[in-house]
């Protein structure tokens, strides 16, 4: 029998975001998927994977999907996505998760590195800027191979609200969000467009301010509606966009969480910035010119991330 040469994607954490990510990646035939959770959740994890696999004849995708708690099954993954840990509930901030999830990051990273020393790791678990830093340090990987996800999701929310405001296709709305994945993230209105037209020419300032504010609180809006967990469809779609950029060496311009060494004036922190993502992972950080107000807003966001990082042992 011929050897399978398909790419291999491992998703750690088979909860809402992990399972949804696995399914979308398989539907897009990005590779075979290994869904991993703790031993106590092994049967449900196997069940979710089998259920997804049984959708493949109906949807017509070729991708194997397995569920497991054994990291040997992740051996030689091309990309590993980390969604393991706990999610916030109404009334909590993402930062309240830091101590519990930092322990989870350390243990899962050790297993990932053991079996896939050359992989690219994409981190989703919150508080994601600090968790990306934890995984980077624990893995001892170069900074190009540990990337956090927040900016694609935050920008997608921003773009959704703009499209609703203007009653225009989301396909024509570009825009992105910088900074930490918290309530002081920085949606960059000045770099956002509808069909190439600057937003400031299309939307009155007070409406723009309201859209920026809704974007900043976008995660909390969903947490309050769900009642017992956080968003997962848009987060999973965002993760898959990053996985695809790496596996297909697309060199996409995407807002992701990068380890900064002087860029934007910050050193030794992980923060959301515009980056180029391709076959080598995070290949470049793009440095935008910021106005004094934009830089002050980014400084506030970076300070929040630093204060969370300070509680990490
Ligand atoms: N960065 C972002 O944009 C973003 C977006 C959405 C969710 N998140 C975060 O992603 C995380 C997961 O969210 P969710 O909705 O999937 O939560 P969930 O509770 O549905 O799933 C988490 C899964 O992780 C598993 N898990 C816990 N410890 C583990 C370990 N040591 N090894 C393997 N698996 C382990 C749990 O058993 C569970 O199945 C949360 O921290 C959430 O805040 C971040
Ligand atoms: O808000 C959360 O806790 C989950 C996630 O970070 C999100 O933005 O949806």
């Amino acid at each position: 029998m011929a050897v399978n040469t398909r790419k291999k994607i491992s998703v750690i954490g088979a909860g809402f975001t992990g399972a949804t990510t696995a399914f979308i990646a398989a539907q897009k035939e990005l590779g075979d998927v290994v869904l991993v959770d703790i031993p106590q959740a092994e049967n449900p994890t196997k069940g979710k994977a089998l259920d997804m696999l049984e959708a493949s004849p109906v949807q017509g995708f070729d991708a194997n999907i397995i569920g497991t708690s054994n990291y040997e099954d992740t051996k030689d993954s091309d990309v590993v996505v980390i969604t393991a840990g706990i999610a916030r509930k109404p009334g909590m901030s993402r930062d309240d998760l830091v101590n519990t999830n930092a322990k989870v990051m350390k243990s899962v990273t050790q297993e990932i590195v053991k079996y896939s020393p050359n992989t690219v790791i994409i981190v989703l678990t919150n508080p994601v800027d600090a968790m990306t830093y934890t995984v980077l340090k624990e893995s001892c990987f170069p900074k190009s191979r540990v990337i956090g996800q927040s900016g694609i999701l935050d920008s997608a929310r921003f773009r959704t609200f703009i499209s609703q405001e203007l009653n225009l296709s989301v396909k024509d709305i570009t825009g992105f969000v910088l900074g930490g994945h918290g309530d002081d993230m920085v949606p960059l209105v000045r770099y956002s467009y509808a069909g190439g037209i600057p937003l400031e020419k299309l939307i009155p300032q007070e409406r723009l301010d309201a859209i920026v504010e809704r974007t900043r609180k976008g995660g909390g809006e969903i947490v309050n509606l769900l009642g017992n967990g956080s968003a997962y469809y848009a987060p999973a779609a965002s993760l898959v966009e990053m996985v695809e950029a790496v596996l297909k060496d697309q060199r996409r311009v995407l807002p992701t969480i990068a380890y900064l060494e002087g860029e934007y004036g910050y050193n030794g922190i992980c923060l959301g910035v515009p980056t180029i993502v391709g076959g080598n992972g995070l290949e470049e950080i793009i440095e935008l010119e910021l106005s004094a107000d934009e830089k002050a807003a980014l400084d506030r966001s970076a300070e929040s991330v630093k204060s969370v990082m300070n509680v990490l042992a």
Side-chain angles (χ1 to χ4, degrees):
M1 209 155 84
V3 177
N4 178 2
T5 57
R6 285 201 289 255
K7 300 285 187 186
K8 183 165 175 179
I9 305 154
S10 291
V11 180
I12 317 300
F16 287 110
T17 55
T20 312
T21 301
F23 195 42
I24 301 176
Q27 285 173 314
K28 289 180 73 108
E29 297 187 321
L30 296 184
D32 290 337
V33 182
V34 180
L35 191 55
V36 185
D37 211 293
I38 51 176
Q40 300 88 308
E42 178 150 278
N43 277 342
T45 305
K46 283 183 193 295
K48 286 180 194 182
L50 181 59
D51 187 18
M52 290 180 209
L53 189 63
E54 289 168 356
S56 65
V58 183
Q59 293 208 308
F61 63 81
D62 287 311
N64 193 30
I65 310 167
I66 65 160
T68 183
S69 64
N70 183 352
Y71 279 84
E72 263 183 68
D73 294 322
T74 68
K75 192 172 173 359
D76 295 333
S77 294
D78 295 286
V79 174
V80 179
V81 176
I82 303 180
T83 73
I86 55 167
R88 66 171 161 159
K89 296 192 167 55
M92 291 172 80
S93 123
R94 297 176 182 95
D95 300 345
D96 297 335
L97 313 172
V98 64
N99 289 319
T100 305
N101 284 349
K103 288 194 194 95
V104 174
M105 292 308 98
K106 287 184 184 168
S107 67
V108 304
T109 301
Q110 287 165 11
E111 297 294 331
I112 293 165
V113 171
K114 184 165 155 197
Y115 291 103
S116 301
N118 300 313
T119 196
V120 172
I121 303 178
I122 300 174
V123 183
L124 184 82
T125 304
N126 273 320
V128 65
D129 303 275
M131 295 304 98
T132 304
Y133 179 81
T134 304
V135 172
L136 177 70
K137 291 296 158 197
E138 191 68 30
S139 65
C140 297
F141 277 10
K143 60 182 183 170
S144 58
R145 291 203 280 118
V146 178
I147 324 172
Q149 189 309 115
S150 66
I152 299 176
L153 172 66
D154 297 328
S155 305
R157 288 181 175 144
F158 188 42
R159 291 164 62 199
T160 303
F161 304 148
I162 293 164
S163 126
Q164 287 179 330
E165 178 74 19
L166 293 172
N167 192 21
L168 292 175
S169 165
V170 287
K171 292 177 187 157
D172 291 324
I173 313 294
T174 53
F176 60 90
V177 178
L178 298 191
H181 186 51
D183 291 354
D184 45 18
M185 65 180 73
V186 187
L188 274 190
V189 172
R190 205 162 56 87
Y191 285 98
S192 304
Y193 303 89
I197 306 164
L199 286 190
E200 286 149 316
K201 296 210 182 301
L202 298 170
I203 303 177
Q205 191 57 49
E206 73 276 8
R207 288 299 308 150
L208 272 174
D209 292 344
I211 290 171
V212 163
E213 195 49 25
R214 188 174 175 196
T215 302
R216 288 190 166 133
K217 306 268 171 64
E221 182 177 358
I222 307 264
V223 166
N224 289 333
L225 288 168
L226 292 180
N228 191 25
S230 54
Y232 50 101
Y233 293 112
S238 306
L239 284 170
V240 171
E241 189 166 49
M242 293 171 73
V243 170
E244 184 170 23
V246 174
L247 293 180
K248 296 188 178 169
D249 190 17
Q250 289 176 321
R251 282 186 59 78
R252 296 281 314 274
V253 178
L254 299 172
T256 70
I257 300 168
Y259 181 70
L260 301 182
E261 292 174 297
E263 296 89 351
Y264 291 91
Y266 311 121
N267 246 307
I269 62 166
C270 287
L271 194 69
V273 289
T275 60
I276 297 177
V277 180
N280 300 311
L282 196 158
E283 298 187 351
E284 280 174 51
I285 293 170
I286 299 171
E287 281 202 75
L288 293 173
E289 222 177 88
L290 298 180
S291 68
D293 284 353
E294 289 162 349
K295 178 67 169 87
L298 193 58
D299 283 347
R300 277 194 295 279
S301 184
E303 279 308 315
S304 302
V305 170
K306 271 189 217 160
S307 68
V308 180
M309 283 175 57
N310 285 342
V311 308
L312 294 170

